[in-house]
Amino acid sequence: MESVSIKDFYKDICGQSSCQLDYFLDNKNHSDLGHFNVFDIAKFYFDDNPKCQMSYNRRLYYKISLIKGKNLVEYADKTILIEQQGILFASPKIPYRYTALDNNQQGMFCVFTKEFMSKSKMGLHIDELPIYQPSSDFIYQLDDKQYLEIEAIFKKMDTELSSDYEYKYDLLRNILMQLIHTGQKLKPIVSMQSTTNAASRITTLFIELLERQFPIENDAQKVVLRNPIEFATILGVHTNHLNKVLKETTGRSTSDIINARIVEEAKILLKQTQWNVSEIAYTLGFDEVAHFSNFFKKKTNLSPLKFRN
């Protein structure tokens, strides 16, 4: 699972060179203000080179999509079918995959960075909003009236973005908050029944997150994710559900898999490096060398030094 930056997003949909992209980002919105932009779905995804599917990635920016057309959205253990129209509030917290199921796609979407919203004079912390919590349902169904009301908000943002009004970015943040509050009042789309594919997807993403932290190649590198709650939060599922899925697909608990991988790496570092035990403990995420020593001995019946010697 890759992490996609705002620049990666533009390279994908616009095919711009790095130089052109830097100019577009820095001069259109002023880099010190973060980034914000609005797009027409039909124009960017269904012209000469349609992009009908977005891969399962973690996007390092926020995206709000007003969708008209049949689409499938997959995230965590959920599969959401948008039959006609809906709105999606995506954040860096939850990776997802989006697939258009027909070519009759309409709507609008906006992308923005945390830096853009952090400049709000309201002292806004966007990650604290209910709609951007990992446990939130971030896909909502819309009736015809709601669709038109939200479309009007998007069009207003598009108009203001093109204006030369001195305080347009402050205004855009306010309009964006109106859009978010509107979304928080909507009814979530019910997920389709979970399938084996969902369990397999969660297992694969968990293993990818775990393995991304290895190998440890220098003593400044540090394992950050070490407990089931941290993994479950990133994957957007409950800890108990993650544990259940992993037991079904691997036969082992979340903690067992994490601990086994840390022990494996500890053995490699003890045998193949000259680092002292304290340095190895640090790189593996232990604040105290004694905690690491106790952990290692419990798993191997040997102290780190005895194993090394």
Side-chain angles (χ1 to χ4, degrees):
M1 179 176 58
E2 298 180 358
S3 294
V4 181
S5 69
I6 191 70
K7 288 193 176 185
D8 293 329
F9 162 77
Y10 279 104
K11 288 176 183 176
D12 182 41
I13 67 169
C14 301
Q16 300 185 47
S17 70
S18 178
C19 180
Q20 290 173 319
L21 187 60
D22 288 340
Y23 177 84
F24 182 84
L25 290 175
D26 292 343
N27 290 278
K28 185 175 179 65
N29 285 301
H30 307 295
S31 58
D32 60 324
L33 298 178
H35 185 73
F36 176 87
N37 212 346
V38 183
F39 301 91
D40 183 295
I41 285 178
K43 178 179 178 182
F44 278 87
Y45 293 94
F46 295 92
D47 274 352
D48 297 334
N49 184 25
K51 297 177 182 293
C52 299
Q53 178 171 313
M54 298 180 188
S55 57
Y56 206 104
N57 288 324
R58 177 176 302 282
R59 293 155 180 85
L60 304 179
Y61 53 88
Y62 295 80
K63 181 179 181 183
I64 304 177
S65 300
L66 177 65
I67 302 162
K68 193 167 192 176
K70 194 170 185 178
N71 292 270
L72 195 69
V73 182
E74 299 168 86
Y75 69 99
D77 60 338
K78 297 179 176 62
T79 299
I80 305 294
L81 177 64
I82 302 173
E83 289 276 10
Q84 295 180 326
Q85 50 205 27
I87 187 167
L88 182 151
F89 292 82
S91 79
K93 291 183 178 179
I94 300 179
Y96 69 97
R97 177 164 53 205
Y98 176 103
T99 306
L101 300 180
D102 61 44
N103 288 328
N104 185 27
Q105 299 289 316
Q106 300 176 49
M108 301 181 74
F109 69 92
C110 64
V111 294
F112 58 97
T113 60
K114 180 182 287 189
E115 290 76 16
F116 178 76
M117 291 304 289
S118 69
K119 302 296 181 181
S120 170
K121 292 180 171 58
M122 297 180 288
L124 174 70
H125 297 286
I126 191 166
D127 288 332
E128 296 177 2
L129 295 171
I131 207 165
Y132 288 120
Q133 298 306 304
S135 59
S136 170
D137 294 299
F138 65 91
I139 306 171
Y140 301 87
Q141 61 185 355
L142 302 174
D143 58 31
D144 292 341
K145 181 180 179 182
Q146 291 169 329
Y147 181 90
L148 291 174
E149 289 175 352
I150 292 176
E151 184 182 47
I153 298 175
F154 271 96
K155 288 181 176 179
K156 186 176 182 182
M157 290 192 296
D158 192 33
T159 299
E160 293 300 337
L161 187 60
S162 302
S163 75
D164 57 3
Y165 176 51
E166 182 179 358
Y167 301 102
K168 68 179 180 181
Y169 296 112
D170 291 330
L171 179 55
L172 281 166
R173 292 184 190 96
N174 291 335
I175 301 172
L176 189 54
M177 277 307 302
Q178 178 189 355
L179 180 59
I180 291 171
H181 284 301
T182 300
Q184 290 182 156
K185 297 188 291 182
L186 295 171
K187 180 180 179 181
I189 297 176
V190 177
S191 174
M192 298 167 65
Q193 186 174 3
S194 295
T195 64
T196 303
N197 288 338
S200 176
R201 182 169 68 244
I202 291 174
T203 301
T204 299
L205 291 172
F206 167 79
I207 297 300
E208 287 179 354
L209 281 174
L210 178 61
E211 288 298 329
R212 189 188 299 171
Q213 303 181 102
F214 304 101
I216 301 295
E217 298 177 327
N218 61 72
D219 57 9
Q221 188 178 341
K222 185 176 182 180
V223 171
V224 177
L225 302 175
R226 287 191 54 239
N227 68 65
I229 294 177
E230 292 168 337
F231 281 93
T233 298
I234 290 176
L235 294 172
V237 299
H238 192 279
T239 310
N240 292 341
H241 182 73
L242 176 60
N243 198 53
K244 179 183 177 183
V245 166
L246 292 175
K247 281 189 174 181
E248 289 175 352
T249 56
T250 70
R252 296 189 293 169
S253 70
T254 313
S255 295
D256 286 343
I257 297 172
I258 297 169
N259 291 338
R261 186 62 183 89
I262 291 175
V263 168
E264 178 185 346
E265 194 69 14
K267 289 178 178 179
I268 293 171
L269 296 175
L270 287 165
K271 289 293 188 181
Q272 299 184 8
T273 75
Q274 298 300 314
W275 304 346
N276 62 44
V277 175
S278 178
E279 290 170 329
I280 292 173
Y282 171 82
T283 64
L284 294 176
F286 293 87
D287 293 329
E288 299 290 340
V289 65
H291 294 165
F292 168 66
S293 296
N294 291 336
F295 167 83
F296 190 85
K297 187 172 184 179
K298 182 178 180 180
K299 301 298 180 183
T300 66
N301 292 320
L302 292 171
S303 71
L305 288 178
K306 283 188 177 181
F307 177 84
R308 168 171 273 176
N309 298 326

